[in-house]
Amino acid sequence: MNRREAIKTAVLGLGSMAVMGSGTMLASCSGRKPKVVTINGSPRRDMNVAKLLQKAMDGAESQGAETEIYHLYGYKFKGCMSCFSCKKKVGNSNGKCVIHDSLAEVLKACREADALLFGAPIYYDNVCGTMRKFLERLMFPIDPYTVNQETGERERFLTKTVPVGFVYAMNAPENMRKDFYGPMFNSIEGYIRHIFGSCDAVYATNTYQFKDYNRYDVNLFREEDKRAWRDKQFPIDLQNAYDMGAGLIKKIQL
Ligand SMILES: Cc1cc2nc3c(=O)[nH]c(=O)nc-3n(C[C@H](O)[C@H](O)[C@H](O)COP(=O)(O)O)c2cc1C
């Protein structure tokens, strides 16, 4: 084990979410159920994102996984503070986020997971700010600023794949999702793939945004059109989320 691997192993400890430089650590946990940690980045716990996440968890459980869900809006936390403690050579903070707010427990659960499920609404053409803050805190500590001296390639912190599934909900119609939001989704999922090894996604478009349209001042879209799309397409989105959740478990490397 070289120095960097030793640091990573010491920082994360046994039972952390993936093997860092040692192929034996996670294997020692085999025999237990794979654990999927789900992060709900929507403030609403029973709307589109939450429903998609529930289906994805059902799919994961159908393959023998145990699941637990964290609702980000229940936590008071900051985004990355750019302190770079997670990149320090000395001390024991390399690879760790040192901010001690309530998100620490969520980050710990993510780091002990075998697979991750994320869900976020689209707010102003990107995933909501709360999900972005979470991703900064989760990903930056395990996204080293180092390149392999021989290959020149950017190094990865995790040496195993921790499969990630991402569900999104948005008001935008399907063509806008593809043509306009495509680069944004590619960017987020590209970082996730680089850091965790894989990322699958389900995009629910043209969502039914309110439980009762009569209560809101809206004439930008027609409730009948929204309802028709919801009745036709949302069951398909839910099934895709279920299949994605089931598929994640098959990608786990124990
Ligand atoms: C603050 C805010 C900004 C939004 N901005 C967008 C947007 O830029 N594009 C879009 O497609 N939908 C946008 N929406 C709609 C939500 O993405 C949509 O209602 C989604 O279904 C929310 O997820 P939820 O149903 O799980 O709460 C916005 C909603 C809110 C509240």
Coordinates of all heavy atoms in Angstrom, one line a residue, residues 33-100:
K33 N -26.9 -7.9 3.5 CA -27.7 -7.4 2.4 C -27.0 -6.1 1.9 O -26.5 -5.3 2.7 CB -29.1 -6.9 2.9 CG -30.0 -8.0 3.1 CD -31.4 -7.4 3.5 CE -32.5 -8.5 3.5 NZ -33.8 -7.9 3.7
P34 N -27.0 -5.9 0.5 CA -26.4 -4.7 0.0 C -27.3 -3.5 0.5 O -28.5 -3.6 0.7 CB -26.6 -4.8 -1.5 CG -27.2 -6.1 -1.8 CD -27.5 -6.8 -0.5
K35 N -26.6 -2.4 0.8 CA -27.3 -1.3 1.4 C -27.4 -0.1 0.4 O -26.4 0.3 -0.2 CB -26.6 -0.8 2.6 CG -27.3 0.3 3.4 CD -26.9 0.3 4.8 CE -27.7 1.3 5.5 NZ -27.2 1.6 6.8
V36 N -28.6 0.4 0.2 CA -28.8 1.5 -0.7 C -29.2 2.7 0.1 O -30.2 2.6 0.8 CB -29.9 1.1 -1.8 CG1 -30.2 2.3 -2.7 CG2 -29.5 -0.1 -2.6
V37 N -28.5 3.8 0.0 CA -28.9 5.0 0.6 C -29.5 6.0 -0.4 O -28.9 6.2 -1.5 CB -27.7 5.6 1.3 CG1 -27.9 7.1 1.8 CG2 -27.2 4.8 2.5
T38 N -30.7 6.4 0.0 CA -31.5 7.3 -1.0 C -31.5 8.7 -0.4 O -31.7 8.9 0.8 CB -32.9 6.7 -1.1 OG1 -32.8 5.4 -1.6 CG2 -33.8 7.6 -1.9
I39 N -31.3 9.7 -1.3 CA -31.3 11.1 -0.9 C -32.4 11.8 -1.7 O -32.4 11.9 -2.9 CB -29.9 11.7 -1.3 CG1 -28.8 11.0 -0.7 CG2 -29.9 13.2 -0.9 CD1 -28.7 11.0 0.8
N40 N -33.4 12.3 -0.9 CA -34.5 13.0 -1.6 C -34.2 14.5 -1.5 O -34.1 15.1 -0.4 CB -35.8 12.8 -0.8 CG -37.0 13.6 -1.4 OD1 -36.9 14.1 -2.5 ND2 -38.0 13.8 -0.6
G41 N -33.9 15.1 -2.7 CA -33.5 16.5 -2.8 C -34.7 17.4 -3.1 O -34.6 18.5 -3.4
S42 N -36.0 16.8 -3.0 CA -37.1 17.6 -3.1 C -37.7 18.0 -1.8 O -37.7 17.2 -0.9 CB -38.2 16.9 -3.9 OG -39.5 17.6 -3.9
P43 N -38.2 19.3 -1.6 CA -38.8 19.6 -0.3 C -40.1 18.9 -0.1 O -40.6 18.8 1.0 CB -39.0 21.1 -0.5 CG -39.0 21.4 -2.0 CD -38.1 20.4 -2.6
R44 N -40.7 18.4 -1.2 CA -42.0 17.7 -1.0 C -41.7 16.2 -0.9 O -41.1 15.6 -1.7 CB -42.9 18.0 -2.3 CG -43.0 19.5 -2.5 CD -44.1 19.9 -3.3 NE -44.0 19.6 -4.7 CZ -44.8 19.9 -5.7 NH1 -45.9 20.6 -5.4 NH2 -44.6 19.6 -6.9
R45 N -42.3 15.6 0.2 CA -42.0 14.2 0.5 C -43.0 13.3 -0.2 O -42.9 12.0 0.0 CB -42.0 14.0 2.0 CG -40.9 14.8 2.6 CD -40.7 14.4 4.1 NE -39.7 15.2 4.7 CZ -39.1 14.9 5.8 NH1 -39.4 13.9 6.5 NH2 -38.1 15.7 6.3
D46 N -44.0 13.8 -0.9 CA -45.0 12.9 -1.5 C -45.3 13.2 -2.9 O -46.4 12.9 -3.4 CB -46.2 12.8 -0.6 CG -46.9 14.2 -0.5 OD1 -46.3 15.2 -1.0 OD2 -48.0 14.3 -0.1
M47 N -44.4 14.0 -3.6 CA -44.7 14.4 -5.0 C -43.9 13.6 -6.0 O -43.5 12.4 -5.7 CB -44.6 15.9 -5.1 CG -45.8 16.6 -4.4 SD -47.4 16.2 -5.1 CE -47.5 17.3 -6.5
N48 N -43.6 14.2 -7.1 CA -43.0 13.4 -8.2 C -41.6 12.8 -7.9 O -41.5 11.6 -8.1 CB -42.8 14.3 -9.4 CG -44.2 14.8 -9.9 OD1 -44.9 14.1 -10.6 ND2 -44.6 16.0 -9.6
V49 N -40.7 13.6 -7.4 CA -39.4 13.0 -7.0 C -39.5 11.9 -6.0 O -38.9 10.8 -6.1 CB -38.4 14.1 -6.5 CG1 -37.1 13.5 -5.9 CG2 -38.1 15.1 -7.6
A50 N -40.3 12.2 -5.0 CA -40.4 11.2 -3.9 C -41.0 9.9 -4.4 O -40.6 8.8 -4.0 CB -41.2 11.8 -2.7
K51 N -42.0 10.0 -5.3 CA -42.7 8.8 -5.8 C -41.7 8.0 -6.7 O -41.7 6.8 -6.6 CB -43.9 9.2 -6.7 CG -45.1 9.6 -5.8 CD -46.3 10.0 -6.6 CE -47.4 10.5 -5.7 NZ -48.3 11.4 -6.3
L52 N -40.9 8.7 -7.5 CA -39.9 8.0 -8.3 C -38.8 7.3 -7.4 O -38.4 6.2 -7.7 CB -39.2 9.0 -9.2 CG -40.1 9.6 -10.3 CD1 -39.5 10.9 -10.9 CD2 -40.3 8.6 -11.5
L53 N -38.4 8.0 -6.4 CA -37.4 7.4 -5.5 C -38.0 6.2 -4.8 O -37.3 5.2 -4.6 CB -37.0 8.4 -4.4 CG -36.0 9.5 -4.9 CD1 -35.7 10.5 -3.8 CD2 -34.7 8.9 -5.4
Q54 N -39.3 6.3 -4.4 CA -39.9 5.1 -3.7 C -39.9 3.9 -4.6 O -39.6 2.8 -4.2 CB -41.3 5.4 -3.2 CG -41.9 4.3 -2.4 CD -41.1 3.9 -1.2 OE1 -40.8 4.7 -0.3 NE2 -40.7 2.6 -1.1
K55 N -40.2 4.1 -5.9 CA -40.2 3.0 -6.9 C -38.8 2.5 -7.0 O -38.6 1.3 -7.1 CB -40.8 3.5 -8.2 CG -42.2 3.5 -8.3 CD -42.8 2.1 -8.3 CE -44.3 2.2 -8.1 NZ -45.0 0.9 -7.8
A56 N -37.8 3.4 -7.1 CA -36.5 2.9 -7.3 C -36.0 2.1 -6.1 O -35.4 1.0 -6.2 CB -35.5 4.1 -7.5
M57 N -36.4 2.5 -4.9 CA -36.1 1.7 -3.7 C -36.8 0.4 -3.7 O -36.3 -0.7 -3.3 CB -36.5 2.5 -2.4 CG -35.6 3.7 -2.2 SD -35.8 4.4 -0.5 CE -37.3 5.2 -0.7
D58 N -38.1 0.4 -4.2 CA -38.8 -0.9 -4.3 C -38.1 -1.9 -5.2 O -37.9 -3.1 -5.0 CB -40.2 -0.7 -4.9 CG -41.1 0.1 -3.9 OD1 -40.8 0.2 -2.7 OD2 -42.2 0.5 -4.4
G59 N -37.5 -1.3 -6.3 CA -36.8 -2.1 -7.3 C -35.5 -2.7 -6.6 O -35.2 -3.9 -6.8
A60 N -34.8 -1.9 -5.9 CA -33.6 -2.3 -5.2 C -33.9 -3.4 -4.2 O -33.3 -4.4 -4.1 CB -32.9 -1.1 -4.5
E61 N -35.0 -3.2 -3.4 CA -35.4 -4.2 -2.4 C -35.8 -5.5 -3.1 O -35.6 -6.6 -2.5 CB -36.6 -3.6 -1.6 CG -36.1 -2.6 -0.6 CD -37.2 -1.9 0.1 OE1 -38.4 -2.3 0.1 OE2 -36.9 -0.8 0.8
S62 N -36.4 -5.4 -4.3 CA -36.8 -6.7 -5.0 C -35.6 -7.5 -5.3 O -35.7 -8.7 -5.5 CB -37.6 -6.3 -6.3 OG -36.6 -5.9 -7.3
Q63 N -34.4 -6.9 -5.3 CA -33.2 -7.7 -5.5 C -32.4 -8.0 -4.2 O -31.2 -8.3 -4.3 CB -32.3 -6.9 -6.5 CG -32.9 -6.6 -7.8 CD -33.3 -7.9 -8.6 OE1 -32.4 -8.8 -8.7 NE2 -34.5 -8.0 -9.0
G64 N -33.1 -7.8 -3.1 CA -32.5 -8.2 -1.8 C -31.8 -7.1 -1.1 O -31.1 -7.4 -0.1
A65 N -31.9 -5.9 -1.6 CA -31.2 -4.8 -0.9 C -32.0 -4.2 0.3 O -33.2 -4.4 0.3 CB -30.9 -3.6 -1.9
E66 N -31.3 -3.6 1.3 CA -32.0 -2.8 2.3 C -31.8 -1.4 1.9 O -30.7 -1.0 1.4 CB -31.6 -3.1 3.7 CG -30.2 -2.8 4.0 CD -29.8 -3.1 5.5 OE1 -30.1 -4.2 5.9 OE2 -29.3 -2.2 6.2
T67 N -32.8 -0.6 2.2 CA -32.8 0.8 1.7 C -33.1 1.7 2.9 O -33.8 1.4 3.9 CB -33.8 1.1 0.6 OG1 -35.1 0.9 1.2 CG2 -33.6 0.3 -0.6
E68 N -32.5 2.9 2.9 CA -32.9 4.0 3.8 C -32.9 5.3 3.1 O -32.1 5.5 2.2 CB -32.0 4.0 5.1 CG -30.6 4.3 4.8 CD -29.7 4.2 6.1 OE1 -30.0 3.4 7.0 OE2 -28.7 4.9 6.2
I69 N -33.8 6.2 3.5 CA -33.9 7.5 2.8 C -33.7 8.6 3.8 O -34.0 8.6 4.9 CB -35.4 7.6 2.2 CG1 -35.5 8.8 1.3 CG2 -36.5 7.5 3.2 CD1 -36.6 8.8 0.3
Y70 N -33.0 9.6 3.2 CA -32.7 10.9 3.9 C -33.4 12.0 3.1 O -33.2 12.1 1.9 CB -31.2 11.2 4.0 CG -30.5 10.1 4.9 CD1 -30.1 8.9 4.4 CD2 -30.3 10.4 6.3 CE1 -29.5 8.0 5.2 CE2 -29.7 9.5 7.1 CZ -29.3 8.3 6.6 OH -28.7 7.4 7.4
H71 N -34.1 12.9 3.8 CA -34.8 14.0 3.1 C -33.9 15.2 3.4 O -33.9 15.7 4.5 CB -36.2 14.2 3.7 CG -37.1 13.0 3.5 ND1 -37.7 12.7 2.3 CD2 -37.4 12.0 4.3 CE1 -38.4 11.6 2.4 NE2 -38.2 11.1 3.6
L72 N -33.3 15.7 2.3 CA -32.3 16.8 2.5 C -32.9 18.1 3.1 O -32.2 18.8 3.9 CB -31.7 17.2 1.2 CG -30.6 16.3 0.6 CD1 -30.0 16.9 -0.7 CD2 -29.5 15.9 1.6
Y73 N -34.2 18.3 2.8 CA -34.7 19.6 3.4 C -35.0 19.4 4.9 O -35.4 20.4 5.5 CB -36.0 19.9 2.6 CG -35.7 20.7 1.3 CD1 -35.3 20.0 0.2 CD2 -35.9 22.1 1.2 CE1 -35.0 20.6 -1.0 CE2 -35.6 22.7 0.1 CZ -35.1 22.0 -1.0 OH -34.8 22.7 -2.2
G74 N -34.7 18.3 5.5 CA -34.8 18.1 6.9 C -33.5 18.5 7.6 O -33.4 18.4 8.8
Y75 N -32.5 18.9 6.8 CA -31.2 19.1 7.4 C -30.8 20.6 7.1 O -31.1 21.1 6.1 CB -30.1 18.2 6.8 CG -30.4 16.8 7.2 CD1 -31.3 16.0 6.5 CD2 -29.7 16.2 8.2 CE1 -31.5 14.7 6.8 CE2 -30.0 14.9 8.6 CZ -30.9 14.1 7.9 OH -31.1 12.8 8.3
K76 N -30.1 21.2 8.1 CA -29.6 22.5 8.0 C -28.2 22.4 7.6 O -27.4 22.0 8.5 CB -29.8 23.3 9.3 CG -30.1 24.7 9.1 CD -30.5 25.4 10.4 CE -30.5 26.9 10.3 NZ -30.6 27.5 11.5
F77 N -27.8 22.8 6.4 CA -26.4 22.6 6.1 C -25.9 23.5 5.0 O -26.7 24.1 4.3 CB -26.1 21.1 5.6 CG -26.8 20.7 4.3 CD1 -26.1 20.7 3.1 CD2 -28.1 20.4 4.3 CE1 -26.7 20.4 1.9 CE2 -28.8 20.0 3.1 CZ -28.0 20.0 1.9
K78 N -24.6 23.6 4.9 CA -24.0 24.5 3.9 C -23.5 23.7 2.8 O -23.2 22.5 2.9 CB -22.8 25.2 4.6 CG -23.0 26.2 5.7 CD -21.7 26.7 6.2 CE -21.9 28.0 7.0 NZ -22.7 27.8 8.2
G79 N -23.2 24.4 1.7 CA -22.4 23.8 0.6 C -21.0 23.8 0.9 O -20.6 24.2 2.0
C80 N -20.1 23.3 0.0 CA -18.7 23.3 0.2 C -18.2 24.7 0.6 O -18.6 25.7 -0.1 CB -18.0 22.8 -1.1 SG -16.2 22.9 -1.0
M81 N -17.3 24.8 1.6 CA -16.8 26.1 2.0 C -15.4 26.4 1.4 O -14.8 27.4 1.7 CB -16.7 26.1 3.5 CG -18.0 25.9 4.3 SD -19.1 27.3 4.1 CE -18.3 28.5 5.2
S82 N -15.0 25.5 0.5 CA -13.7 25.8 -0.2 C -12.5 25.9 0.8 O -11.6 26.6 0.5 CB -13.8 27.0 -1.1 OG -12.9 27.0 -2.1
C83 N -12.6 25.1 1.8 CA -11.5 25.1 2.8 C -10.3 24.2 2.4 O -9.2 24.4 2.9 CB -12.0 24.7 4.2 SG -12.4 23.0 4.3
F84 N -10.6 23.3 1.5 CA -9.6 22.4 1.0 C -9.0 21.5 2.0 O -7.9 20.9 1.8 CB -8.5 23.1 0.1 CG -9.0 23.7 -1.1 CD1 -9.3 25.1 -1.2 CD2 -9.3 22.9 -2.2 CE1 -9.9 25.6 -2.4 CE2 -9.8 23.4 -3.4 CZ -10.1 24.7 -3.5
S85 N -9.6 21.4 3.2 CA -9.1 20.4 4.2 C -9.1 19.0 3.6 O -8.2 18.2 4.0 CB -10.0 20.4 5.4 OG -9.9 21.7 6.0
C86 N -10.0 18.7 2.7 CA -10.1 17.4 2.2 C -9.0 17.0 1.2 O -8.8 15.9 0.7 CB -11.5 17.2 1.4 SG -11.8 18.3 0.1
K87 N -8.2 18.1 0.9 CA -7.0 17.8 0.0 C -5.7 18.0 0.7 O -4.6 18.0 0.1 CB -7.1 18.8 -1.2 CG -8.4 19.0 -1.9 CD -8.6 17.9 -3.0 CE -9.9 18.1 -3.7 NZ -11.0 17.3 -3.1
K88 N -5.7 18.2 2.0 CA -4.5 18.5 2.8 C -3.5 17.2 2.8 O -4.0 16.1 3.0 CB -4.8 18.9 4.2 CG -5.1 20.4 4.3 CD -5.2 20.8 5.7 CE -5.5 22.3 5.8 NZ -6.0 22.7 7.1
K89 N -2.2 17.5 2.7 CA -1.2 16.5 2.8 C -1.1 16.0 4.2 O -0.9 14.8 4.5 CB 0.1 17.0 2.3 CG 0.2 17.1 0.8 CD 1.6 17.6 0.4 CE 1.8 17.8 -1.1 NZ 3.0 18.5 -1.4
V90 N -1.0 17.0 5.2 CA -0.8 16.6 6.6 C -2.1 16.6 7.4 O -3.1 17.2 6.9 CB 0.2 17.5 7.2 CG1 1.6 17.3 6.6 CG2 -0.2 19.0 7.1
G91 N -2.1 15.9 8.5 CA -3.3 15.8 9.3 C -4.1 14.6 8.8 O -3.6 13.8 8.0
N92 N -5.3 14.5 9.3 CA -6.1 13.3 8.9 C -7.4 13.7 8.2 O -8.4 13.0 8.2 CB -6.4 12.5 10.2 CG -7.3 13.2 11.1 OD1 -7.6 14.4 10.9 ND2 -7.8 12.6 12.2
S93 N -7.4 14.9 7.6 CA -8.6 15.3 6.9 C -8.7 15.0 5.4 O -9.7 15.2 4.8 CB -8.8 16.9 7.1 OG -7.7 17.6 6.5
N94 N -7.6 14.5 4.9 CA -7.6 14.2 3.4 C -8.7 13.2 3.1 O -8.9 12.2 3.8 CB -6.2 13.6 3.1 CG -6.1 13.5 1.5 OD1 -6.7 12.7 0.9 ND2 -5.2 14.3 1.0
G95 N -9.5 13.5 2.1 CA -10.6 12.7 1.7 C -11.9 12.8 2.5 O -12.9 12.1 2.3
K96 N -11.8 13.8 3.5 CA -13.0 14.0 4.4 C -13.5 15.4 4.3 O -12.7 16.3 4.2 CB -12.6 13.8 5.8 CG -12.6 12.4 6.4 CD -12.6 12.6 7.9 CE -11.6 11.6 8.5 NZ -11.3 11.9 9.9
C97 N -14.8 15.5 4.5 CA -15.4 16.9 4.7 C -15.4 17.2 6.2 O -15.9 16.4 7.0 CB -16.8 17.0 4.2 SG -17.5 18.6 4.4
V98 N -14.7 18.3 6.5 CA -14.6 18.6 7.9 C -15.7 19.6 8.5 O -15.6 20.0 9.7 CB -13.2 19.3 8.2 CG1 -12.1 18.3 7.9 CG2 -13.0 20.6 7.5
I99 N -16.6 19.9 7.7 CA -17.7 20.8 8.2 C -18.6 19.9 9.1 O -19.1 18.9 8.7 CB -18.6 21.4 7.0 CG1 -17.7 22.2 6.0 CG2 -19.7 22.2 7.6 CD1 -18.4 22.7 4.8
H100 N -18.8 20.4 10.3 CA -19.6 19.7 11.3 C -21.0 20.2 11.4 O -21.3 20.8 12.4 CB -18.8 19.6 12.6 CG -17.5 18.9 12.6 ND1 -17.5 17.5 12.2 CD2 -16.3 19.3 12.7 CE1 -16.2 17.2 12.2 NE2 -15.4 18.2 12.5

